[in-house]
Amino acid sequence: MTSRSDSQPGRSGPADLTRFAWLSIAAALTTLALKATAAWLTGSVGLLSDAAESVVNLVAALVALLALRIAARPPDAGHNFGHGKAEYLSASVEAVMIFVAAVAIMLTAVQRLLQPEPLENVGPGLLVSAVAGVVNGAVALTLTRAGRRNRSLALTADGKHLMTDVWTSVGVIVGVGLVVLTGNLRVDPVVALLVGANIVVSGLGLLKKAIAGLMDKAIPDAARADVERVLDDFARRRGISIHALTTRAMGRIHLVSVHLVVPAEWTVERSHALTLDLESEVGTRLQDTYIQTHVEPSGQHCPERTL
């Protein structure tokens, strides 16, 4: 006897997160203008590489906006569990863009390393770059917190990418400052190479998370612990047992499957009412978590199955 939750992902409508994507777009446009100005004032390839990363930020924010809009769509005939995996595609595209930016930065840095050029207007350029870093830092914290709160990989990835950009800006500013202090023009392209390497590491981490999501990885351990607490509490109060817990994540949606072991003499009606109560409790106590239940009579063992 199997009872499946009537509350499908997205029925109540996930939180509208597109406002955060628009914030990211505005930040990318602002910092791109500031960093491009700083690079133009100084002629620094390090600052130019920093500006190039802002181009990636802009593209990533646009992709995230599209992904969040798609992910917010309710389930339909062709996508019974909603469109949450669109966020993983967004993260994959962002990872590819990060790699492209890293290659462009490194090629420019190698050229400048072979043919050093003097820097100009360093003071004003660094000031403009510092302002861009502050803007990115504030937006990065906002996006990361919103992403964790709403279990959105698109926002979390965008926020972490922006925070990487902040540290990139710090490194570039330090590098340009060292050029002024030491007079060694090759410090600037060396810093740009380090920036490119840092961006590659960031892209690899993001791609790893996106692939894990597309491969239906189980929900995080902390989220599973929350599910287990709710299930254990329900089973204790109702005098039944629950086992065969399996999970998978689809963007911000968590899908859960369990077996409910009830007394063999229970009627179908009573068992069905129990599953509805459990589904309702899970929906109330756990954000964006949907459960599929399988009822088995006490004394009979059913093979475990997964979603």
Side-chain angles (χ1 to χ4, degrees):
M1 183 192 307
T2 300
S3 172
R4 183 170 181 171
S5 171
D6 291 331
S7 58
Q8 293 297 322
R11 173 167 291 188
S12 60
D16 183 10
L17 304 179
T18 56
R19 65 186 185 278
F20 294 106
W22 281 113
L23 175 62
S24 182
I25 291 171
L29 288 171
T30 301
T31 56
L32 175 58
L34 290 171
K35 291 179 180 181
T37 300
W40 175 73
L41 286 172
T42 62
S44 165
V45 69
L47 290 173
L48 180 61
S49 69
D50 205 11
E53 190 172 2
S54 288
V55 175
V56 179
N57 293 346
L58 177 59
V59 174
L62 291 170
V63 173
L65 175 63
L66 177 62
L68 288 170
R69 284 186 169 178
I70 294 175
R73 294 176 182 173
D76 54 36
H79 305 86
N80 297 161
F81 289 98
H83 302 76
K85 286 194 175 182
E87 294 198 34
Y88 297 130
L89 294 176
S90 167
S92 300
V93 171
E94 184 170 349
V96 172
M97 291 300 302
I98 287 174
F99 293 140
V100 171
V103 171
I105 290 170
M106 288 179 168
L107 289 176
T108 303
V110 169
Q111 182 180 4
R112 186 62 64 87
L113 188 64
L114 297 175
Q115 299 177 340
E117 295 182 12
L119 305 183
E120 302 175 354
N121 302 311
V122 173
L126 292 184
L127 178 60
V128 173
S129 182
V131 171
V134 171
V135 172
N136 265 343
V139 176
L141 289 175
T142 300
L143 295 182
T144 302
R145 289 169 180 169
R148 289 174 178 171
R149 185 170 58 250
N150 295 279
R151 295 204 300 247
S152 169
L153 180 60
L155 284 184
T156 301
D158 208 9
K160 288 186 175 181
H161 184 196
L162 284 181
M163 188 55 71
T164 300
D165 194 16
V166 172
W167 291 113
T168 296
S169 298
V170 172
V172 169
I173 290 173
V174 171
V176 173
L178 288 175
V179 171
V180 175
L181 292 175
T182 65
N184 188 345
L185 298 178
R186 285 189 168 85
V187 172
D188 182 40
V190 168
V191 169
L193 285 172
L194 293 175
V195 168
N198 184 51
I199 293 174
V200 169
V201 172
S202 174
L204 287 173
L206 185 55
L207 186 60
K208 181 180 178 181
K209 288 185 178 181
I211 291 175
L214 291 172
M215 294 297 292
D216 286 337
K217 185 177 181 180
I219 66 177
D221 291 342
R224 182 185 174 93
D226 290 338
V227 172
E228 290 176 344
R229 278 193 292 271
V230 172
L231 295 179
D232 290 344
D233 180 54
F234 183 87
R236 177 183 55 78
R237 287 186 283 108
R238 296 304 183 95
I240 62 168
S241 64
I242 300 176
H243 69 112
L245 171 63
T246 57
T247 68
R248 65 185 173 110
M250 292 180 58
R252 81 192 69 167
I253 300 297
H254 287 178
L255 300 180
V256 176
S257 175
V258 295
H259 290 193
L260 303 182
V261 181
V262 302
E265 65 272 14
W266 276 24
T267 63
V268 172
E269 182 180 8
R270 185 174 180 180
S271 299
H272 178 63
L274 180 74
T275 64
L276 292 181
D277 288 344
L278 176 59
E279 291 159 6
S280 176
E281 186 159 333
V282 167
T284 300
R285 295 177 59 180
L286 299 172
Q287 180 186 20
D288 292 328
T289 299
Y290 301 89
I291 187 167
Q292 184 181 65
T293 56
H294 174 83
V295 176
E296 61 184 67
S298 178
Q300 297 186 25
H301 177 71
C302 296
E304 293 188 10
R305 58 196 178 85
T306 58
L307 287 163

